Structure formats: C-alpha cells, structure tokens
C-alpha cells in the first residue's frame, strides 16, 4: 500500500499511512509475542489420543487472553487515539486515526486467532495460509490502484481491511473448522461473548470520558490509567465465571501476602 501511495499520491499521503502502519505493528506485537510460546506445547498435544479436545480448549483459552489484551489496546485507541496522535505528531496527522481504525477493525479479528496459524505450522498445513495471503495481496494491489486515485490513503486502507477480513478471517475460519477440525462455532460463541462485553465497556468509556479534554501528556496518562482500570473491572465482573474470578482474587491475595 505504501509503495502504491508513493507512486500515485503525494509523499504526505505516504507519511500518514506509514504512521498508521506503525500502530498496526504495535497491535500485532501484542498478539504475536504469545504464539511462539505455544508451538512446542501444540506439537506435544498432537501426539496425544484426544488432542483435538485439548487443542480446542487451548485455542479458546489463548484467544480469550489475546482478545482481552488487544481489545484493551484497540478500545483505548478508539477513545483516546486521536488525542494521542495530536499530542505526538500534530493535528495535520489526524487522518492517521481514521486509517488506523479502518485497518485494525479487521486486523483485530485476525490477531486474536493467531494461535490458529501456529496450529497450522504444527500440523504442516501452513501452505494454505501462505497461498491465501499471496492471492489476497495480489488482488489487494490490483483493486487498490484505481481506488487510490479516487479516495487516496483512506480508500486503500478500506480495500486492505476488506481483504484481511476475507483472507485472514473468513477463509481461514472455514479452513480451521473443516480441515484443522477446530470447533469454530464453540470458539465464536465464547469469544463473541467477550467481544460484546468489550464493546459495551468501550461505549461506556466513551460516555464517561467524552467531556475530559486531553491537552497534555499527563491528562492522557491519567485517562489511560482510569480506562484500563474500568476495562479490567468490566471484564472481571461481566465476563469471567465465578471460578475464574476466584482464581484472580486468590492470586491478588497471595501477591499482597508476599
């Protein structure tokens, strides 16, 4: 996308898009750091008799954690991302906020399922994902060329987001369910419930924080701390089971005792 923008549009469009990609890379790092840790465990599970049951449980468990972490970052960006960008690089780059929202809206669904790619690697079936990404990338380039001429960087962001949704989410979800034998119906029932809670927390955060004017880094920091606390509390109360809440409370108690 950046290369196409550089050829077709002005350098300023490239600079704006490059900043958005920086945010995307940070979102990706939050999720991808977790996956490599589980490759040895997944490979070990493959050698057990009932590995599919354990694999599905692990997939959902890890995805819930990824959804919690990436969801905090994404919802926080929705609420105060524009203020952060203005403080960081100025008002002339506010388009970065829109482009980042467009891209992350579908990348988010890909990132929370990244363990699926690790499972594909463990099963020796990663070629399918590679071929899917190549095809979607080529189509993305072909469609982006005329779109950039009309709508600029926002247009190419929309096209990219659509192909991420098609290739990285929809097609791979079907593949996970049909070939890898992951129970994606059960997966989305569980993750969908968490996404609903995160959406409600985000809306509550918007109405709670919309009257706070962020003009300096200290205010931004305070807002981040307040929202992170509200977010964590909301997930704790409205999503976690009684058993999970008990585990967390005991961990906190043990931490304070030490």
């Amino acid at each position: 996308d950046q290369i196409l923008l550089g050829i077709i549009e002005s350098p300023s469009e490239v600079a704006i898009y490059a900043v958005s990609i920086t945010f995307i890379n940070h979102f990706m790092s939050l999720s991808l750091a977790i996956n490599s840790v589980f490759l040895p465990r997944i490979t070990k599970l493959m050698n057990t008799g009932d590995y599919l049951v354990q694999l599905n449980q692990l997939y959902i468990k890890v995805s819930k954690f990824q959804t919690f972490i990436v969801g905090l970052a994404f919802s926080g960006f929705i609420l105060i991302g524009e203020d952060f960008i203005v403080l960081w690089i100025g008002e002339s780059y506010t388009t970065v906020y829109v482009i980042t929202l467009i891209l992350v809206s579908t990348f988010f669904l890909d990132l929370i399922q990244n363990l699926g790619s690790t499972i594909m690697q463990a099963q020796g079936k990663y070629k399918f994902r590679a071929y899917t990404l190549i095809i979607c990338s080529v189509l993305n380039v072909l469609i982006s060329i005329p779109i950039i001429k009309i709508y600029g960087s926002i247009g190419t962001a929309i096209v990219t987001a659509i192909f991420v949704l098609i290739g990285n989410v929809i097609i791979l979800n079907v593949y996970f369910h049909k070939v890898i034998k992951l129970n994606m119906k059960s997966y989305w029932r569980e993750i969908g419930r968490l996404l609903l809670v995160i959406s409600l927390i985000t809306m509550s955060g918007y109405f709670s924080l919309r009257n706070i004017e962020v003009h300096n880094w200290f205010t931004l920091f305070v807002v981040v701390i307040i929202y992170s606390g509200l977010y964590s509390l909301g997930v704790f109360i409205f999503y976690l089971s009684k058993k999970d809440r008990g585990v967390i409370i005991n961990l906190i108690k043990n931490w304070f005792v030490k």
Side-chain angles (χ1 to χ4, degrees):
D1 289 344
Q2 287 176 260
I3 295 174
L4 290 177
L5 283 169
I7 296 172
I8 301 172
E9 287 290 322
S10 64
S12 61
E13 290 283 316
V14 179
I16 288 171
Y17 204 86
V19 176
S20 295
I21 295 300
T22 301
F23 282 110
I24 298 299
N25 289 335
H26 285 305
F27 280 110
M28 290 177 66
S29 65
L30 290 173
S31 176
L32 295 176
I34 301 171
N35 292 340
S36 57
V37 178
F38 287 94
L39 182 57
R41 184 174 175 182
I42 291 169
T43 304
K44 187 177 179 180
L45 279 177
M46 302 289 290
N47 298 320
T48 60
D50 60 341
Y51 79 92
L52 274 178
V53 175
Q54 296 182 59
L55 199 59
N56 273 287
Q57 291 173 346
L58 178 64
Y59 187 41
I60 293 174
K61 184 178 180 180
V62 174
S63 290
K64 285 196 292 185
F65 181 70
Q66 289 176 313
T67 303
F68 174 80
I69 298 298
V70 181
L72 172 59
F74 185 32
S75 60
F77 185 83
I78 291 172
L79 297 176
I80 57 172
E82 190 169 13
D83 295 319
F84 175 83
I85 291 166
V86 170
L87 286 172
W88 179 33
I89 47 180
E91 293 183 1
S92 60
Y93 280 81
T94 51
T95 308
V96 170
Y97 176 72
V98 178
I99 294 172
T100 305
L101 283 184
I102 293 169
L103 292 173
V104 178
S105 63
T106 53
F107 266 110
F108 176 80
L109 297 175
D110 176 36
L111 293 176
I112 64 175
Q113 299 183 80
N114 259 319
L115 190 65
S117 298
T118 306
I119 294 171
M120 292 175 78
Q121 286 179 308
Q123 293 187 354
K125 296 176 180 177
Y126 194 79
K127 283 184 179 180
F128 179 83
R129 178 180 172 88
Y131 292 145
T132 301
L133 293 179
I134 291 170
I135 293 170
C136 286
S137 296
V138 172
L139 292 174
N140 185 12
V141 170
L142 294 176
I143 295 174
S144 289
I145 292 172
I147 292 296
I148 289 173
K149 293 178 180 179
I150 303 171
Y151 300 106
S153 55
I154 291 179
T156 192
I158 293 172
V159 173
T160 299
I162 290 171
F163 276 106
V164 168
L165 180 64
I166 294 171
N168 295 30
V169 180
I170 296 173
I171 293 176
L172 284 185
N173 268 249
V174 174
Y175 189 82
F176 289 158
H177 192 75
K178 298 291 186 180
V179 181
I180 306 296
K181 301 302 180 183
L182 294 172
N183 190 340
M184 297 310 294
K185 292 180 181 179
S186 176
Y187 174 89
W188 281 113
R189 277 197 298 269
E190 188 66 34
I191 299 300
R193 192 164 63 88
L194 178 54
L195 290 175
L196 176 60
V197 171
I198 291 173
S199 299
L200 293 173
I201 293 170
T202 306
M203 286 188 285
S204 298
Y206 171 78
F207 290 111
S208 301
L209 302 174
R210 63 178 178 174
N211 293 322
I212 299 177
E213 295 184 1
V214 179
H215 296 305
N216 54 67
W217 290 108
F218 177 76
T219 306
L220 182 71
F221 177 75
V222 171
V223 171
V224 168
I225 296 299
I226 292 172
Y227 178 69
S228 298
L230 291 173
Y231 177 92
S232 301
L233 184 63
V235 172
F236 180 84
I237 294 173
F238 298 109
Y239 177 75
L240 294 181
S241 65
K242 187 176 180 179
K243 180 181 178 181
D244 290 337
R245 290 198 296 268
V247 170
I248 292 174
I249 290 171
N250 287 332
L251 286 173
I252 294 172
K253 286 181 178 178
N254 292 335
W255 186 78
F256 276 109
V257 169
K258 291 179 180 180

